[in-house]
Amino acid sequence: MKVEVHFLGQPEILIDHVRLTITQKKIEAMLLYILFNGTCTRDELVAIFWCDCDEEGARGNLRNSLYKIRNLIGKDFLLTGGRSYISLNPEVEIFRDTDLFIMENSEQRLLELNRFCFLDKYYLKNCPGFEEWVCSMQNTYERLLRERLLPAMRGSFKKGDHVMAEKYAEYILRFDIHNEEAVYTLIKICGQNGEYNKAVYAYTQYSERLYQDMHLEPGAGVKKEYEDVMRMKTELRRNTSKGPFYLGHIRALAALQEEYSKYRQGFPYDTCIICGEEGMDKEEVWWKFTKEYNARDVIKIHLKSTDVSVDYYAIRELIAQTAKWLKIQPDDLMAGSPGENADLYFMNLVGKLARKAKSARNHCIMRIDNLEYADQKSLCLILGCLLEYLKSEIFIMAGFSLNFQMNFNQYAERDGRTRPSAWNR
């Protein structure tokens, strides 16, 4: 008899290549436990599967379950050692998918696993002992997978086999999203291959999840690698003929040109919000736009994922950068505490800047990157106050990721003065 058992993902038992169907889940769970361990004591099985029963009732349930298993598979499938032990017949040929973790040189085969979580989403009511065992095995195999793939990733990268190193890094991040070494390797390889958008996407996803789950920022090494990639991307844009410019990019650039022309002529214009997922090259649109108009006066505000949790952070940054452009010390402008009515405090500051900008009579572009990371209080002030006071003096444009579009559109509809421009490849 040949038995194949799949413990990874949803469990499956095949007897001579035919799937075994067991209608009672507790019997199936007990069979899986025995198949994994090979030998178990009756006391062990009773404690795990019938901890809520008295001893006599629990042992009766065990006998009935063993009887049903033998009827399903065969009398000789399970052997009993007196009245204490239950074991698999050594003549039965058993293949477990988990054996791959202890085989030598199996790293590349591990990458072929579509499922790697032990008994994934497999629950059993009123059996805390079984749940603890499953959880323990899940942690064990996740650790084993990490211990096998991380050295393989390092070795492949050291040998210059970046294709395999990238595959290992991507697979590790499927089950360990906070693994900084895998993120670092992925960004490094993508940067060397010129896949800058993929590197930026990997860093952004990692930094966002790290902050959401642990309130931490990426380490210095990953940050430096990301900054190097951004420098290489910028340098490439300056020194080459640029990559493909898609229809969505053309439309976005046209919208910017149209509204900026109105601004230069003193006509009312719509603020342009460039929408696109991470890696969609919004930067390419900004670059072409500012290059065409030779815009020297640019107020640039770059928001980060960590900023969204700090009330009024974005509006403070906007005010500070605008003040610098107007040659005003931000600390002097924002002296004192906002007090209880912080909204009114920041509205007054924006009003002061607007009056100063009006007297300066210089054309200026304000570019807000990652508007999706503006905190809620700042966003209300940006859309309800900043656009009202500063818009005629400064050409305001922004970019945000599509995962934020639903929330933004609610404000945009209410505000009525923004022009979202989105594209997809």
Side-chain angles (χ1 to χ4, degrees):
M1 180 187 295
K2 181 179 179 180
V3 180
E4 298 174 56
V5 193
H6 298 158
F7 292 100
L8 304 176
Q10 288 297 300
E12 186 178 40
I13 303 169
L14 298 115
I15 309 293
D16 293 329
H17 305 293
V18 178
R19 182 173 181 176
L20 180 67
T21 302
I22 303 176
T23 54
Q24 292 178 272
K25 193 167 185 180
K26 184 171 285 191
I27 293 176
E28 180 188 48
M30 190 179 77
L31 177 57
L32 287 166
Y33 186 85
I34 296 171
L35 286 168
F36 183 82
N37 291 287
T39 300
C40 310
T41 67
R42 289 177 182 268
D43 290 341
E44 180 183 348
L45 294 173
V46 164
I48 289 176
F49 294 99
W50 291 282
C51 63
D52 57 343
C53 297
D54 59 60
E55 185 175 354
E56 184 178 351
R59 292 191 176 276
N61 289 333
L62 176 58
R63 284 194 298 272
N64 290 335
S65 298
L66 293 172
Y67 174 77
K68 290 177 181 178
I69 289 173
R70 287 190 173 104
N71 277 347
L72 275 170
I73 304 175
K75 291 181 181 180
D76 299 328
F77 180 70
L78 296 177
L79 303 179
T80 55
R83 299 177 62 85
S84 299
Y85 291 93
I86 296 162
S87 62
L88 299 171
N89 189 328
E91 295 182 3
V92 175
E93 194 177 8
I94 298 182
F95 298 88
R96 304 175 180 88
D97 58 357
T98 51
D99 292 342
L100 194 59
F101 286 77
I102 56 175
M103 292 170 58
E104 291 185 4
N105 303 317
S106 62
E107 288 80 8
Q108 292 195 27
R109 290 181 61 189
L110 286 170
L111 293 181
E112 298 171 6
L113 291 174
N114 292 321
R115 306 167 298 179
F116 44 76
C117 183
F118 187 88
L119 297 187
D120 190 24
K121 299 180 177 64
Y122 190 84
Y123 306 109
L124 200 60
K125 290 182 179 179
N126 303 319
C127 291
F130 180 76
E131 296 295 325
E132 288 174 9
W133 175 71
V134 170
C135 184
S136 173
M137 289 298 101
Q138 287 176 345
N139 292 334
T140 296
Y141 280 101
E142 182 179 311
R143 176 178 55 80
L144 285 172
L145 192 58
R146 189 185 301 108
E147 288 175 355
R148 295 297 298 272
L149 297 186
L150 274 173
M153 179 187 74
R154 294 173 193 139
S156 296
F157 186 81
K158 188 175 181 180
K159 290 187 297 185
D161 188 354
H162 290 178
V163 173
M164 284 308 304
E166 184 176 356
K167 287 181 179 179
Y168 285 127
E170 290 176 338
Y171 199 90
I172 290 167
L173 292 172
R174 285 176 59 188
F175 65 88
D176 186 5
I177 57 176
H178 302 127
N179 194 294
E180 189 152 284
E181 186 178 354
V183 175
Y184 175 88
T185 302
L186 188 59
I187 294 173
K188 184 89 172 175
I189 292 170
C190 290
Q192 291 179 358
N193 292 342
E195 298 176 293
Y196 303 127
N197 291 339
K198 186 174 180 180
V200 170
Y201 181 78
Y203 178 84
T204 303
Q205 290 291 101
Y206 170 67
S207 61
E208 287 180 9
R209 288 300 299 267
L210 191 65
Y211 184 78
Q212 290 170 5
D213 298 343
M214 302 180 179
H215 289 277
L216 296 173
E217 290 190 6
V222 172
K223 279 185 177 179
K224 182 180 182 303
E225 201 60 43
Y226 168 70
E227 290 166 359
D228 289 345
V229 165
M230 293 303 294
R231 278 195 294 271
M232 287 189 288
K233 184 178 179 181
T234 302
E235 192 66 24
L236 179 68
R237 184 176 290 112
R238 288 173 178 168
N239 298 327
T240 69
S241 58
K242 315 298 178 297
F245 208 57
Y246 295 90
L247 179 60
H249 296 84
I250 295 170
R251 289 174 176 167
L253 180 59
L256 283 171
Q257 292 168 335
E258 179 183 346
E259 299 306 324
Y260 186 70
S261 176
K262 294 177 185 176
Y263 161 74
R264 289 295 298 261
Q265 297 176 60
F267 299 137
Y269 71 92
D270 289 331
T271 303
C272 287
I273 311 295
I274 307 299
C275 318
E277 295 177 358
E278 287 290 340
M280 296 301 283
D281 254 347
K282 293 186 284 293
E283 184 72 25
E284 185 76 15
V285 178
W286 300 135
W287 186 87
K288 283 184 178 288
F289 172 72
T290 53
K291 181 172 183 259
E292 180 175 344
Y293 288 99
N294 193 27
R296 296 178 181 177
D297 289 342
V298 177
I299 302 170
K300 186 176 178 180
I301 297 96
H302 184 82
L303 300 175
K304 305 183 297 296
S305 59
T306 52
D307 300 338
V308 72
S309 61
V310 183
D311 286 346
Y312 298 106
Y313 179 89
I315 193 68
R316 281 182 180 275
E317 188 67 12
L318 285 165
I319 289 171
Q321 296 303 322
T322 306
K324 289 178 182 177
W325 173 69
L326 292 168
K327 295 181 172 50
I328 300 172
Q329 286 296 325
D331 291 342
D332 295 341
L333 181 68
M334 291 187 278
S337 171
E340 294 183 2
N341 198 337
D343 284 358
L344 182 60
Y345 170 80
F346 288 111
M347 287 173 66
N348 288 334
L349 291 181
V350 173
K352 290 180 181 178
L353 290 176
R355 291 190 291 274
K356 181 71 174 177
K358 190 176 184 67
S359 62
R361 296 184 178 277
N362 288 332
H363 290 115
C364 178
I365 294 173
M366 176 183 286
R367 169 183 160 183
I368 309 171
D369 289 338
N370 303 328
L371 187 59
E372 67 271 18
Y373 295 143
D375 59 279
Q376 201 74 4
K377 294 183 184 296
S378 291
L379 188 61
C380 292
L381 285 167
I382 290 168
L383 295 172
C385 164
L386 186 134
L387 297 183
E388 177 72 27
Y389 294 164
L390 280 177
K391 188 174 172 182
S392 60
E393 313 307 327
I394 298 172
F395 182 75
I396 302 171
M397 58 187 190
F400 71 93
S401 295
L402 287 176
N403 63 331
F404 185 71
Q405 189 169 5
M406 186 175 294
N407 290 337
F408 174 77
N409 282 343
Q410 294 173 359
Y411 287 99
E413 288 170 8
R414 184 183 70 181
D415 180 71
R417 290 163 296 179
T418 58
R419 178 174 176 174
S421 182
W423 70 85
N424 290 294
R425 291 185 191 172

